[in-house]
Amino acid sequence: MHQTLQEDGYLYSRGHAWRALFLIYMLMLFDFIDRQVLSALLPYIKVEWQLSDTELGALVGIVNVAIALFAFPVSVLVDRWSRTKSISGMAVLWSAATVACAFAGNFAQMLVGRFFIGTGEAGYTAGGASLLSASFPRRLRGTVMGIANSATMLGSVLGVVLGGAIAAKWGWRYAFGVVAIPGFVFAILILFLRDYKNVHIAVQPHQDTQEPGMSWQQATRVILRSGALRAIFVGSAMQLMFTATVGNWLPSYFNRYHALAPDQAGLRTGIMLLIASVGVMAFGYLSDKLAAGKPRRRLVLMASFPLCTALAFGAAFALPVGNMQLGLLFVGAFFMAAILGPCFAVIHDLVHPGMTGMAIGVLILANNLLGMALGPLIGGMLSDRFELSTALLLVSAVPLTSAAAFFLASTRYDKAIAALTDTPH
């Protein structure tokens, strides 16, 4: 059996696996710092450039539009060329674009800079997830993916908190420049990590391995034929639509309704995202424990997370400002990103090792195009139409669709596993 197909033991060594996790974690951390720093700066930019909430939502969402456009093409490159080199190149691009945002003179220039941040961020997730999936034993997959994806929440915390603090002291432009620097450093370090060989996918059983393997178009059709995977993609996108909306608009909500200064509003949002980060790690570990022997249960557990999210946030935004509301927001934060680790883990369970990058690419496309790109923009449009508190109450119903999708995926899990068994290696 090819080395990437091992289920027990580490691909190269325990040390290599944990080095891979550290580097991917740090890249993801600074990716989200660079991405989310804008959230803390929105009140400043709104006043300086006299922008509407819809325009502010566009500045947030354009990153995810770019990721959606380039995630799948880059994921094909990841599976066909090099994971480490793809990740490195993407990190350099998004870091340079973050620096460029510091020099933007108007809305259009900022929009272009944010687009290139998203272009750079399109490639590292598929490559990083594939590296981690191959490097660690299968029994640790949910835990490892939970740890790695907790960086998204912690990075969001640091982006919001650092952005607010730097902007309050030196101005909002300095925030972009400061947070961009570490990305260049880790772009170099990832090149020293050992990659694994690309996996041949035969088109027919017993096909001569010297013949051309399955094309990316054929592999994509295999991925999209899976009813379980389609439901997972939709469920993940809907949950992240809500998470992105709340994560980006909470600083403005606390600023407008709780009368907090922008830096204090960013700090409070940061605390909530930190709670979300703990939830990602905790539920990634829990999903491994519950899935042992019965992996279908991972999807049933995933369906419970968005349900808890909708109940907590819906109740919170229906209440007046006060301690009860704040407590419910903290409870909801614990669940709102909990799907991340289990979601990556279950996708790796359901696809051939030679297709993991492409499957993650499809997930990223759905997450960004249907989820994180639309969420902040829709939130801004609803805020302009009604008010921000009403907008956040309305989007609190979105996770219910995510819960339904994951439960549907759980009913299709066994069929997907049977189809995977029939896929030629």
Side-chain angles (χ1 to χ4, degrees), residues 27 92 151 170 226 245 413:
L27 280 163
V92 169
W170 293 298
S226 170
T245 305
Y413 183 89

Side-chain angles (χ1 to χ4, degrees), residues 163-328:
I166 295 170
K169 190 172 182 62
W170 293 298
W172 64 264
R173 295 182 183 278
Y174 283 88
F176 285 112
V178 171
V179 301
I181 296 171
F184 293 108
V185 176
F186 286 97
I188 296 172
L189 293 178
I190 195 70
L191 292 173
F192 294 93
L193 186 69
R194 186 178 179 184
D195 201 350
Y196 68 84
K197 293 181 180 179
N198 293 330
V199 182
H200 174 85
I201 313 171
V203 177
Q204 299 292 338
H206 315 302
Q207 183 180 16
D208 186 339
T209 57
Q210 297 303 311
E211 293 296 319
M214 184 182 291
S215 69
W216 69 265
Q217 295 95 332
Q218 291 171 312
T220 303
R221 285 194 290 271
V222 170
I223 292 168
L224 294 179
R225 275 202 304 266
S226 170
L229 287 174
R230 291 198 305 269
I232 290 168
F233 296 149
V234 171
S236 178
M238 292 300 97
Q239 183 68 3
L240 290 184
M241 173 188 284
F242 169 80
T243 302
T245 305
V246 169
N248 282 286
W249 283 109
L250 269 180
S252 295
Y253 177 81
F254 289 136
N255 174 243
R256 299 179 195 180
Y257 294 90
H258 290 239
L260 296 179
D263 57 332
Q264 292 301 309
L267 179 60
R268 180 172 290 184
T269 303
I271 294 172
M272 288 188 58
L273 295 177
L274 186 60
I275 293 172
S277 178
V278 174
V280 174
M281 290 188 286
F283 288 118
Y285 174 79
L286 179 61
S287 75
D288 277 342
K289 295 300 181 183
L290 290 181
K294 290 188 177 180
R296 177 180 170 274
R297 289 189 295 195
R298 198 191 302 270
L299 281 162
V300 177
L301 178 67
M302 288 165 61
S304 71
F305 301 150
L307 180 60
C308 293
T309 302
L311 293 174
F313 277 98
F317 289 122
L319 290 172
V321 171
N323 291 333
M324 179 69 76
Q325 182 197 61
L326 195 58
L328 284 170

Side-chain angles (χ1 to χ4, degrees), residues 89-168:
M90 295 292 101
V92 169
L93 179 56
W94 94 56
S95 299
T98 303
V99 173
C101 285
F103 298 95
N106 53 48
F107 171 78
Q109 292 174 6
M110 179 70 78
L111 196 68
V112 172
R114 294 282 294 175
F115 180 85
F116 280 102
I117 289 176
T119 303
E121 292 175 351
Y124 81 97
T125 303
S130 297
L131 277 173
L132 294 179
S133 176
S135 298
F136 281 88
R138 181 176 179 176
R139 66 181 183 273
L140 297 177
R141 199 170 278 167
T143 302
V144 169
M145 293 301 174
I147 293 172
N149 282 281
S150 70
T152 65
M153 293 295 105
L154 182 57
S156 298
V157 171
L158 294 176
V160 172
V161 173
L162 288 174
I166 295 170

